[in-house]
Every structure is written in C-alpha cells, then in structure tokens.
Amino acid sequence: MRSAFWEDHERDLSDPEYAREFAAESARIAALDALVNAFEAARKAEGLTKADLARATGITGSAVRRLLTAANPNPTLGTVVEIAAALGLKLSVEPMAADERRVVTEPMLRGIRRPASGPGRDVA
C-alpha cells in the first residue's frame, strides 16, 4: 500500500514547475552527496585531518567542516575546485545517461523549449 505522500508526489509531478524543482533539487543533492563522499574518502586516504585540509587550501576550518559534515552543504565552485586540488583530484563534467536525462533534464526543460528561430527567440 502506497502512502498518501507518494500519491500526492506522483500527482504533483504532473505540474511542470513542481517537476522542475523536484528534478533540480534531486540532482543537486545527489551531486553534492557524491562530491562530499569522494572528498572524505580522498582526505582519509591521504591521511589528512579536516584542519590539515583547511590549512592546505586557506579555507577556514569551519567551512571545511561544514562541507564535509553538514546535512545540506552548499559550497561555491571555487571552494570545491580548491579542495579537490588539495586532495589531488580534479573536477570533470560528463554527459548524463539517457535514463538520467529523462528523470532530471527533461522535467527541468519542460515548458521552456522554443522554436530554434522566429519571433520571441531569446539570444544569449
């Protein structure tokens, strides 16, 4: 038997704005969890304390601790790159698999697609 929460959630996913927000937040949480877990594993493998990592990067100890232990970290890209470098890591971006694109990208883009040319086209 499914709970009322999941039934409401399924129904809410038909709203494009809800679906977009849910997909974006899910992607953000998954990416940050993977990043923090990789940083923690690398830090431990290098035998570094959080204080060592803070000194190596010049980032405050509290910022390093928040990134590695907070329930909802939100580091800047600069902080992420600097910590990765101190741990001997580099960041890369890779395309999502087709099933991930269906679950994440399509809901985020639904409703904003426009013709490739013609009136009303935004050019950035």
Side-chain angles (χ1 to χ4, degrees):
M1 181 174 183
R2 291 173 42 116
S3 71
F5 170 83
W6 289 111
E7 290 172 6
D8 287 348
H9 174 67
E10 283 247 345
R11 186 180 59 250
D12 290 341
L13 284 172
S14 65
D15 172 14
E17 183 59 21
Y18 179 90
R20 185 202 64 75
E21 288 179 22
F22 180 78
E25 186 67 10
S26 296
R28 187 187 71 77
I29 290 168
L32 285 172
D33 281 351
L35 184 71
V36 168
N37 290 337
F39 282 175
E40 265 298 276
R43 181 185 67 78
K44 289 176 180 176
E46 292 290 327
L48 298 172
T49 66
K50 291 173 187 148
D52 293 334
L53 189 54
R55 282 190 291 277
T57 60
I59 298 168
T60 65
S62 61
V64 170
R65 279 190 306 281
R66 263 193 320 274
L67 173 64
L68 298 178
T69 60
N72 193 16
N74 192 19
T76 66
L77 184 56
T79 298
V80 169
V81 169
E82 196 162 348
I83 289 174
L87 294 170
L89 304 171
K90 64 181 179 178
L91 301 178
S92 63
V93 177
E94 62 185 71
M96 290 180 178
D99 60 327
E100 290 175 296
R101 288 184 62 85
R102 270 191 302 282
V103 172
V104 177
T105 306
E106 289 178 16
M108 291 180 72
L109 297 179
R110 192 174 301 131
I112 65 141
R113 297 278 190 194
R114 294 191 193 121
S117 63
R121 181 171 180 238
D122 290 339
V123 178

